[in-house]
Amino acid sequence: MNRLEGETSTTQQRYREIPLIALGILLNLVPAAVVSAVKLPVYVDAVGTILITLALGMRAGVVTGVLSFLIGGVTQNPVMPFFAGTQAAIAIYVHLMARHGWFRSVGRIIPCGIGLGIVAAIVSAPVIVRVFGGVTNSGASLIVSYLLASGKSVINSVVLSGLGAEPLDKTAQCLMAFWLLRGIPKSALAGLKTGSLHQNRMDV
């Protein structure tokens, strides 16, 4: 393959990624809007980030997550852009774990999802404490408020709330992304080489 053919192939790959990234953004924002409206102590705002990271790789996953939260800050909740960094961390973690086959089966995904929840809780905690004083308008803030009322410090309340809610939330989202990818026809996934589909046997 000469240089021109290589550049053409890369350009075609980029154009193919655009609608998939758009789908990932929708998968982040739509469930998040529903959950936020009913004030559940979970988030369900990273299914698209996880799915796109698995299908297209870390770069596309970071783009999906960050754009989701920037758009969500305008259309849904002004708090969301402050957590764009958490979305980037999610994409990086998922990419690293997926490269080692941690999305091959439900049995592997569960501990992987728990680890992702811990990472998300740790990355988000400083933002919640420093920017919002420990309480945002999410359902998880109800847990923080309860812990604060019980006499715990702000940082301890935020961390405990995150560690209580995030592992379950992120494990569920990893499973949702896994099942969605499993349900997509293999022909639609053919040619996606930048993600981790092969390492997790999703392309066969």
Side-chain angles (χ1 to χ4, degrees), residues 97 100-113 199-200:
M97 297 300 287
H100 290 87
W102 281 91
F103 281 80
R104 287 184 183 179
S105 65
V106 171
R108 289 189 174 208
I109 289 173
I110 290 174
C112 178
Q199 290 91 331
N200 294 280

Side-chain angles (χ1 to χ4, degrees), residues 11-187:
T11 301
Q12 291 175 341
Q13 177 70 19
R14 294 288 183 266
Y15 280 123
R16 188 179 183 186
E17 288 180 358
I18 291 173
L20 293 174
I21 289 173
L23 173 62
I25 291 172
L26 285 175
L27 287 174
N28 281 351
L29 292 180
V30 174
V34 174
V35 168
S36 178
V38 296
K39 298 298 182 184
L40 293 176
V42 291
Y43 302 99
V44 198
D45 55 9
V47 176
T49 302
I50 297 167
L51 187 149
I52 295 302
T53 301
L54 292 172
L56 300 177
M58 182 173 65
R59 180 190 58 81
V62 170
V63 170
T64 300
V66 171
L67 279 181
S68 296
F69 273 48
L70 294 179
I71 294 170
V74 176
T75 62
Q76 292 184 13
N77 187 339
V79 167
M80 293 181 74
F82 291 96
F83 296 96
T86 302
Q87 287 288 312
I90 288 170
I92 293 168
Y93 174 92
V94 168
H95 175 76
L96 293 175
M97 297 300 287
R99 284 294 183 185
H100 290 87
W102 281 91
F103 281 80
R104 287 184 183 179
S105 65
V106 171
R108 289 189 174 208
I109 289 173
I110 290 174
C112 178
I114 292 171
L116 177 58
I118 293 171
V119 169
I122 292 172
V123 173
S124 298
V127 177
I128 297 172
V129 173
R130 291 179 179 273
V131 179
F132 301 103
V135 179
T136 63
N137 59 357
S138 69
S141 288
L142 297 175
I143 300 174
V144 175
S145 298
Y146 171 79
L147 292 171
L148 286 171
S150 69
K152 295 189 182 300
S153 67
V154 174
I155 184 64
N156 285 341
S157 297
V158 170
V159 171
L160 288 172
S161 173
L163 293 177
E166 288 278 20
L168 177 61
D169 175 65
K170 295 303 182 288
T171 299
Q173 293 190 66
C174 285
L175 289 169
M176 290 167 66
F178 171 77
W179 286 323
L180 284 171
L181 280 171
R182 285 291 189 183
I184 295 175
K186 297 299 181 288
S187 58

